Amino acid sequence: MRSESWATALLCAMYIVASAVVPTQGNELNGSLDDAAREYLTQRNALETNNSREAVLADWAYSTNLTNENLKHLMDVESQHAAKNKEEWKKWINLGWDKKWLNISDPQLRRQMKGYSTRGKYALPEEKFNLLNEITANMTAIYSTAKVDLCVQVQGKSVCSLNLEPELTQIMAENRSYDVLKEAWVKWRDVSGKQVRGLFRQYVELSNEAATLNGYSDAEEEWVHPYESPTFQNDVEAIWQQIKPLYEQLHAYVRRKLIEVYGTDHINKTGPIPAHLLGNMWAQSWTDIYDLVAPFPDKSTIDVTTTMKSQGYTPKKIFELADKFYTELNLVPMPPEFWEKSVITKPNDTEMVCHASAWDFYNSDDVRIKMCTDVTMEDLNTVHHEMGHVEYYLHYKNQPILFRTGANPGFHEAVGDSLALSVQTPKHLHRIGLLNEIVEDNETDINFLMKMALSKIVFLPFGYLIDRYRWQVFNGTILSDDLNCEWWKLRFELQGLKPPVLRTEEDFDPGAKYHVVADVPYIRYFVSFIVQFQFHKAMCLKAGQYDPNDPSLALHKCDIANSTAAGEALGAMLSLGGSVPWPDALESLTGTRELDATVLGEYFKPLEDWLTQDNQAHGQHIGWENDGEYCEGPTTRTDLKRH
């Protein structure tokens, strides 16, 4: 993920309003006003660049070493910058820019000035501003330092007092005991989400107050504004409805295979799937239960983790391999500062935020990744994803600071993932020596697409869920007394999942997810999982590696490695940053101006056809029905409908 320091959040808040500037009608060209704006921006952009660098440095120090001293320094820097922002706001008003910026004739100048016309969370009174920062930092610290009191065997050793990374993550991925998984699932939520429920309620109140001070009705409206469409949420729902039939087929198939393992005592043939059985703490990816659901288990499976370890791969070698992939596309190599300053493994005896993230320090080539890397195929893909963020930073580094961002937040997430679609192919893994041979037959193809679907298709309802939930919390549709039960209502509706034990309003299960406690909007990932396939298709066509009429050049087999044509087309889009509306940026690479889920249909068509036939052959119920009470609260809903 892209780093979401408070400095980055401020720039995003400024970009939110800059992204939807409409010129005023009937204004005369005013060269002197444009000159004054240019002069103002020269001074202001330099100031904000320096402030942002100071802020990110403080955030980095804390995120890589969670000490009280580093937290205090981070809070001090934020307070100092709040004071500076207040002074800049006074200057803005005194210079009259609050009234005259719309009369600027140059659209790029006007787009930048619009970015400074609101203040983000700085609009809060100082006391509330500091409180919001403290709440977010405390929620993140609780999450990042939480330990579960549970003793298990991990890689042949008895381990107690478990961290999320790596112990709990490994348990959820590798253990097949219903009860062990349930205990790990429940206890993680006890020490994380349950502990931040009260803080989260305060966070919502302050976030809404900051949004209203900036002219929005609430934080929901502020969060969706970067997508520059009054129908954005309806558009997301429509895209989800396009994908839902494939998800339902996949859900029905996986439910049947899990019943073979756990029995109908634990899983209802027509009901939702217990959320702890899917190989992931949040059930956002099901790839780690592939061994239980493989369509053709006697056929080869693409997981090169064992090969990577036998070949002596290290975290650094994984990063070097990703860098080589990008440079062979004629993209920008990682600069010396990246190799000197990134943290790619967790230091001994140091608490840090292990969640992988990429960081821009607003100082030319000072770009970094923070990650507790393990030698696995999953982390091979994650490194390519994070390096995609860094490529974006390096391509738009010469843009004005307000445009040093993605065309929309989903673009930033999509870049590395679109390239990882090539990296994960048998063709590419064979090319780099991690796969001995490429097997070409239909059953092997279905196995490959199943594993991809357990990541890409499975994620989409989760990617929608996180912010659909928070939008409803921000706008008051979900009341503060119903925070957990409404969460499970949405998990049932969108994902077809249920908790392994009855939940209550003493719990706060959304807070067991990093992005919720760290104030990171999440719909960007949903957008990313759509647009990355659009990027992939466009680059595959430019590389001559996709022909819809040639099965040997199917979209899911495409590897764009070494294609400078594909890389240069991508690089040209990245260089635009946020300087143009996102449909313009999308069109520059793909030729289309809209998010389009039909490309996923092209990619997964062989699997969808196979799933439909297999489910029919086994008489499977498509969808899920309520099979009990999942959450007990003041307004518990028991009338959940069939999905």
Side-chain angles (χ1 to χ4, degrees):
M1 62 169 280
R2 184 185 179 199
S3 163
E4 282 296 334
S5 69
W6 70 271
T8 304
L10 170 63
L11 291 175
C12 289
M14 293 175 172
Y15 168 69
I16 281 171
V17 285
S19 64
V21 178
V22 179
T24 53
Q25 301 296 315
N27 286 327
E28 298 180 0
L29 296 179
N30 190 335
S32 61
L33 186 61
D34 282 16
D35 290 341
R38 197 171 286 110
E39 181 179 353
Y40 175 84
L41 286 169
T42 298
Q43 172 270 327
R44 183 70 185 274
N45 287 348
L47 175 67
E48 295 302 336
T49 300
N50 184 65
N51 287 348
S52 295
R53 176 165 174 76
E54 289 181 359
V56 177
L57 282 167
D59 197 9
W60 172 268
Y62 178 61
S63 294
T64 56
N65 189 7
L66 296 170
T67 66
N68 290 332
E69 180 181 359
N70 284 340
L71 177 58
K72 182 179 183 304
H73 176 62
L74 176 61
M75 295 294 102
D76 288 344
V77 169
E78 293 185 3
S79 295
Q80 293 165 14
H81 284 247
K84 292 179 183 178
N85 182 270
K86 187 173 291 186
E87 289 303 312
E88 287 303 312
W89 184 252
K90 290 179 182 177
K91 292 179 184 178
W92 172 271
I93 298 298
N94 290 338
L95 291 169
W97 285 120
D98 58 317
K99 296 181 176 63
K100 62 187 182 184
W101 69 267
L102 274 170
N103 294 319
I104 296 168
S105 60
D106 185 309
Q108 287 289 296
L109 293 177
R110 189 171 57 247
R111 188 174 173 89
Q112 288 187 71
M113 292 294 278
K114 174 63 174 174
Y116 289 125
S117 69
T118 64
R119 305 175 62 199
K121 66 179 181 180
Y122 287 121
L124 289 168
E126 182 177 356
E127 182 178 345
K128 290 185 176 180
F129 171 85
N130 291 336
L131 178 59
L132 179 56
N133 285 335
E134 182 180 345
I135 287 170
T136 305
N138 285 341
M139 289 195 298
T140 305
I142 289 169
Y143 178 96
S144 300
T145 60
K147 295 181 186 296
V148 164
D149 183 15
L150 177 65
C151 294
V152 296
Q153 291 290 315
V154 177
Q155 297 181 342
K157 297 180 181 179
S158 181
V159 180
C160 301
S161 187
L162 307 181
N163 294 297
L164 177 63
E165 297 284 355
E167 296 94 3
L168 289 171
T169 298
Q170 289 176 358
I171 290 170
M172 299 304 294
E174 299 170 6
N175 198 291
R176 297 296 180 246
S177 165
Y178 188 95
D179 291 333
V180 170
L181 292 171
K182 179 173 70 173
E183 186 175 8
W185 188 96
V186 170
K187 286 189 172 181
W188 169 248
R189 282 154 180 78
D190 285 346
V191 299
S192 59
K194 194 171 188 177
Q195 305 303 313
V196 303
R197 182 183 174 108
L199 291 171
F200 182 80
R201 292 168 71 168
Q202 292 178 272
Y203 154 83
V204 170
E205 293 175 5
L206 291 168
S207 296
N208 273 339
E209 184 174 344
T212 57
L213 289 171
N214 283 295
Y216 300 102
S217 58
D218 50 42
E220 175 202 15
E221 183 182 355
E222 184 176 26
W223 278 25
V224 301
H225 202 81
Y227 297 95
E228 305 180 68
S229 169
T231 62
F232 174 69
Q233 286 144 301
N234 291 334
D235 297 341
V236 169
E237 175 64 24
I239 290 171
W240 165 237
Q241 291 301 325
Q242 281 184 279
I243 299 158
K244 187 176 179 181
L246 173 54
Y247 178 79
E248 288 182 329
Q249 292 289 337
L250 183 61
H251 180 281
Y253 172 80
V254 169
R255 179 176 56 201
R256 176 174 71 83
K257 301 300 285 186
L258 289 177
I259 287 173
E260 292 176 3
V261 177
Y262 296 105
T264 54
D265 288 346
H266 291 306
I267 306 172
N268 190 311
K269 289 182 178 180
T270 62
I273 300 172
H276 66 303
L277 300 179
L278 293 159
N280 176 270
M281 185 61 81
W282 309 278
Q284 68 182 65
S285 168
W286 303 352
T287 55
D288 283 315
I289 62 161
Y290 175 80
D291 61 306
L292 302 181
V293 304
F296 302 101
D298 294 334
K299 288 289 185 175
S300 61
T301 299
I302 307 298
D303 186 347
V304 297
T305 297
T306 300
T307 305
M308 292 171 68
K309 291 179 178 178
S310 69
Q311 291 185 7
Y313 268 69
T314 63
K316 185 175 182 182
K317 185 174 180 179
I318 294 174
F319 276 80
E320 290 171 342
L321 186 68
D323 184 40
K324 184 173 184 287
F325 176 75
Y326 280 96
T327 55
E328 287 178 346
L329 292 172
N330 204 27
L331 295 170
V332 181
M334 296 297 102
E337 290 94 330
F338 174 86
W339 299 107
E340 294 166 7
K341 298 176 180 179
S342 291
V343 175
I344 63 173
T345 58
K346 184 177 180 180
N348 293 329
D349 302 321
T350 298
E351 293 287 353
M352 64 176 281
V353 179
C354 270
H355 194 91
S357 55
W359 298 62
D360 184 0
F361 288 78
Y362 304 98
N363 186 27
S364 187
D365 289 340
D366 191 355
V367 289
R368 310 176 196 177
I369 287 175
K370 170 189 65 60
M371 181 173 172
C372 300
T373 316
D374 196 7
V375 178
T376 64
M377 184 174 176
E378 180 180 1
D379 277 11
L380 176 69
N381 295 329
T382 300
V383 170
H384 281 81
H385 169 90
E386 297 302 335
M387 203 168 282
H389 288 301
V390 176
E391 281 291 338
Y392 221 153
Y393 300 151
L394 293 170
H395 274 84
Y396 61 52
K397 68 180 183 180
N398 294 321
Q399 289 281 358
I401 188 166
L402 290 182
F403 297 160
R404 290 176 65 171
T405 188
N408 75 35
F411 275 50
H412 233 299
E413 300 300 332
V415 172
D417 275 354
S418 66
L419 295 168
L421 289 173
S422 288
V423 173
Q424 295 173 77
T425 61
K427 185 186 298 184
H428 186 82
L429 295 171
H430 178 69
R431 181 197 300 270
I432 62 177
L434 289 175
L435 198 63
N436 289 332
E437 61 178 350
I438 303 173
V439 179
E440 294 281 3
D441 62 48
N442 184 62
E443 292 180 350
T444 301
D445 267 4
I446 295 301
N447 275 356
F448 173 77
L449 286 170
M450 174 62 75
K451 195 161 191 180
M452 291 297 292
L454 293 174
S455 169
K456 300 296 184 180
I457 299 301
V458 160
F459 176 81
L460 286 164
F462 184 82
Y464 184 19
L465 160 79
I466 297 289
D467 276 2
R468 183 167 154 186
Y469 171 80
R470 287 189 288 184
W471 294 337
Q472 292 180 13
V473 173
F474 286 138
N475 70 25
T477 301
I478 294 176
L479 303 177
S480 61
D481 289 339
D482 300 326
L483 292 176
N484 210 47
C485 290
E486 290 295 317
W487 166 257
W488 281 105
K489 177 185 173 185
L490 284 174
R491 293 209 77 178
F492 174 87
E493 174 190 336
L494 295 174
Q495 292 182 281
L497 302 183
K498 67 178 182 180
V501 298
L502 182 67
R503 311 306 285 160
T504 74
E505 286 301 338
E506 292 184 4
D507 302 305
F508 181 57
D509 294 332
K513 178 64 179 170
Y514 172 82
H515 301 74
V516 174
V517 298
D519 186 33
V520 180
Y522 208 76
I523 200 65
R524 66 185 63 180
Y525 299 104
F526 180 93
V527 171
S528 163
F529 271 54
I530 302 300
V531 80
Q532 67 184 250
F533 284 89
Q534 295 179 254
F535 291 172
H536 179 62
K537 179 180 177 179
M539 290 187 287
C540 288
L541 289 170
K542 293 180 186 300
Q545 294 296 309
Y546 174 47
D547 182 345
N549 298 313
D550 183 351
S552 69
L553 292 175
L555 190 57
H556 67 271
K557 297 180 179 180
C558 166
D559 173 21
I560 66 165
N562 297 314
S563 172
T564 57
E568 288 167 3
L570 176 64
M573 185 194 75
L574 301 183
S575 297
L576 296 172
S579 65
V580 299
W582 69 263
D584 293 353
L586 180 63
E587 185 178 30
S588 73
L589 177 60
T590 70
T592 183
R593 298 178 59 82
E594 296 180 351
L595 297 178
D596 182 9
T598 61
V599 182
L600 280 87
E602 292 178 53
Y603 189 97
F604 288 105
K605 182 66 162 58
L607 177 67
E608 185 169 17
D609 290 344
W610 182 87
L611 283 170
T612 301
Q613 294 171 8
D614 186 79
N615 284 330
Q616 288 175 347
H618 289 89
Q620 290 304 292
H621 175 80
I622 307 303
W624 45 89
E625 297 173 345
N626 173 257
D627 63 354
E629 187 176 8
Y630 309 137
C631 184
E632 187 176 67
T635 58
T636 299
R637 294 288 301 275
T638 58
D639 60 340
L640 298 177
K641 297 179 181 179
R642 177 171 178 257
H643 286 263

